[in-house]
Amino acid sequence: MKNILFRLYLNLMRSGAKLTRIKENKVVILNGAGRSGSNGYLFAKYLRQHHPEYDVALVEPWPSSHLPLKTWRQIGAAKYIFTTHQPFKIHRKQISIQFWHGIPLKRMGIMANNTDYKTDARNARLWRRNADMVCSSSDFYETLMSACTGIETSKYRQVGFPRLDALTRPAVTKKELLQQLFGQDDVQAQIGIFMPTFRYEMADEEIMNRIKDGNFLALPDFDVEKLNASLKAKNQFLIVKLHPYEMRLFKKQHSHFSNISFLNNDFLYEQDFDLYELLGSTDFLITDFSSIYFDYLNLNKPIIFITAYLEQYEKTRGLLFGPFKEVVPGKCVNTQTQLLEAVAAPDHYQAKRQYWRNLTNEVQSASYCEQVFTLMTKKY
């Protein structure tokens, strides 16, 4: 019922916004990606800094049923509309450019195990009707996206993604990151970041209870004191960035340990940063099935994969390719003991990371934002 009412709301507001006259220099970015590698947010920053001749409106969160009429009029006046999730436009003459928010690793849309076909088919029709151009990074990316959403090949433009500009040229230095999150300034230390996927959708009560009780790794032998001691002995620090939903469930959102710090969205909003503007200053990534690892390949730094609940995830939602443990460019671990060993082990995955980086990002550019801007203005 909620979905039906929300679609009615969107149709009503779209009808009202159609009365607004389009402005040639008006750009609206509908950002549903928050501050976690948001192409929309970062491209808005770029436009405001480098192209003040364009009137840029960043609409977030999107979609929302609480947007004022003024905002809807801005959407209706936009010549260019960028989206991070489903494509959206009001007038036929508007140009809708789709960023999306990551390279697909997990099954979604018509490929997912846990979605409704009628909904997926309706979404596929929205892509065909509303997306004029879809930003892409490679043939591989296009294959994955089209498998899930049915996008026609003619819509893709291989211009890369704005988030990679922030990743490879971080706005926050390693020293600043150590000072702000750990109160330290030893730049010889290593900083790791743990970023899991949305684990709640597995509907596994045991895993969610572990997270609620403070076991953010959701591993059977989790021991936070031992983890902190091991990090301290190796002169390493660990940033924990959970999905916002998990952070709300998490009972211990503030770490009392010297070498572990939780990063939440409030910090990013207060500092006016996207996660990718500091991610490039980290030294290694720990994840499970989050597609962030594809982007992290552009740093050529170690990646460790937690696969303790791989079987549950494949059954509930599914992955787009595999076998997962054989194809990922990093060590797979199922326990904290294995994780600590992997963090201390020599890195032997450089060649495999390079292979996957070339496969997922065929577009090499000094400025992906500039390439998207050229796409927007030349309309090719």
Side-chain angles (χ1 to χ4, degrees):
M1 177 61 78
K2 283 185 177 180
N3 289 337
I4 294 174
L5 290 176
F6 186 69
R7 288 202 301 272
L8 289 173
Y9 161 79
L10 284 181
N11 288 333
L12 177 63
M13 301 309 293
R14 181 189 283 113
S15 297
K18 279 184 178 179
L19 302 176
T20 308
R21 185 177 179 181
I22 293 178
K23 299 178 181 178
E24 291 296 316
N25 72 328
K26 183 69 178 181
V27 180
V28 165
I29 297 172
L30 306 178
N31 180 34
R35 291 288 186 274
S36 295
S38 172
N39 288 308
Y41 173 73
L42 292 166
F43 188 60
K45 263 191 170 183
Y46 162 83
L47 286 178
R48 288 167 176 169
Q49 181 178 355
H50 297 281
H51 294 283
E53 69 274 20
Y54 283 87
D55 179 15
V56 180
L58 178 67
V59 179
E60 52 183 0
W62 174 267
S64 171
S65 59
H66 302 287
L67 298 178
L69 183 58
K70 177 183 177 182
T71 300
W72 278 104
R73 287 173 177 164
Q74 287 185 309
I75 298 173
K79 177 67 174 179
Y80 310 98
I81 298 182
F82 288 86
T83 53
T84 62
H85 286 67
Q86 278 189 350
F88 184 86
K89 64 193 301 185
I90 291 174
H91 302 283
R92 281 190 308 166
K93 292 183 178 180
Q94 289 179 315
I95 298 173
S96 173
I97 303 176
Q98 170 62 229
F99 276 138
W100 201 238
H101 51 278
I103 297 173
L105 166 64
K106 298 162 287 192
R107 289 174 177 261
M108 61 180 185
I110 58 177
M111 290 291 291
N113 298 331
N114 59 347
T115 58
D116 174 73
Y117 179 76
K118 289 184 178 179
T119 300
D120 296 334
R122 182 174 61 248
N123 290 338
R125 289 194 295 271
L126 289 175
W127 279 91
R128 288 194 295 272
R129 185 173 71 238
N130 291 335
D132 295 306
M133 293 178 282
V134 180
C135 295
S136 167
S137 61
S138 65
D139 294 341
F140 183 70
Y141 174 81
E142 293 167 18
T143 299
L144 297 178
M145 286 293 291
S146 290
C148 294
T149 61
I151 303 170
E152 303 100 311
T153 187
S154 61
K155 292 183 182 294
Y156 290 110
R157 303 291 187 275
Q158 290 193 8
V159 294
F161 303 117
R163 63 181 184 264
L164 294 185
D165 288 340
L167 179 68
T168 56
R169 294 189 293 275
V172 182
T173 66
K174 185 174 181 178
K175 183 176 182 179
E176 291 170 336
L177 199 54
L178 283 166
Q179 289 175 337
Q180 292 184 44
L181 296 182
F182 301 98
Q184 302 290 328
D185 58 6
D186 181 7
V187 293
Q188 299 304 313
Q190 284 191 320
I191 304 176
I193 185 166
F194 172 56
M195 290 192 63
T197 191
F198 184 35
R199 296 173 287 187
Y200 177 75
E201 70 178 338
M202 285 188 288
D204 190 307
E205 187 175 348
E206 180 182 355
I207 291 174
M208 294 315 299
N209 284 337
R210 287 178 182 176
I211 297 170
K212 290 178 184 178
D213 291 337
N215 181 352
F216 53 83
L217 295 174
L219 292 175
D221 61 338
F222 179 76
D223 184 330
V224 68
E225 293 186 1
K226 185 176 180 180
L227 174 62
N228 188 75
S230 179
L231 292 168
K232 190 172 183 179
K234 299 182 181 70
N235 196 24
Q236 295 174 329
F237 296 86
L238 182 65
I239 301 170
V240 179
K241 177 66 174 73
L242 302 179
H243 187 280
Y245 182 85
E246 291 184 6
M247 285 300 294
R248 290 198 296 269
L249 296 178
F250 200 49
K251 294 178 180 178
K252 301 174 182 178
Q253 294 190 20
H254 301 285
S255 171
H256 301 291
F257 293 92
S258 60
N259 290 54
I260 301 172
S261 179
F262 292 96
L263 179 64
N264 58 40
N265 285 347
D266 290 342
F267 173 85
L268 297 171
Y269 278 95
E270 289 167 4
Q271 301 292 323
D272 196 25
F273 285 132
D274 182 271
L275 174 67
Y276 274 46
E277 293 182 279
L278 57 86
L279 186 60
S281 291
T282 62
D283 297 288
F284 61 92
L285 169 69
I286 303 171
T287 187
D288 45 16
F289 323 117
S290 171
S291 65
I292 190 176
Y293 94 80
F294 288 123
D295 290 342
Y296 206 79
L297 294 172
N298 290 275
L299 299 175
N300 196 22
K301 295 178 180 180
I303 306 170
I304 301 170
F305 297 88
I306 292 177
T307 53
Y309 37 89
L310 172 61
E311 185 177 343
Q312 296 98 309
Y313 200 88
E314 287 182 319
K315 181 179 180 181
T316 304
R317 178 166 175 176
L319 302 173
L320 284 169
F321 52 89
F324 185 78
K325 293 181 181 180
E326 295 182 20
V327 299
V328 292
K331 184 73 174 178
C332 293
V333 301
N334 294 323
T335 66
Q336 179 174 298
T337 300
Q338 293 175 354
L339 174 63
L340 295 179
E341 292 173 354
V343 168
D347 175 23
H348 298 300
Y349 290 89
Q350 297 97 326
K352 201 169 185 179
R353 288 198 300 269
Q354 187 68 24
Y355 169 81
W356 278 99
R357 188 193 74 93
N358 293 340
L359 187 65
T360 56
N361 185 19
E362 296 179 47
V363 183
Q364 301 300 316
S365 174
S367 174
Y368 294 102
C369 283
E370 190 65 30
Q371 290 202 156
V372 173
F373 177 75
T374 300
L375 172 67
M376 181 185 87
T377 52
K378 289 189 176 180
K379 303 185 255 319
Y380 61 81

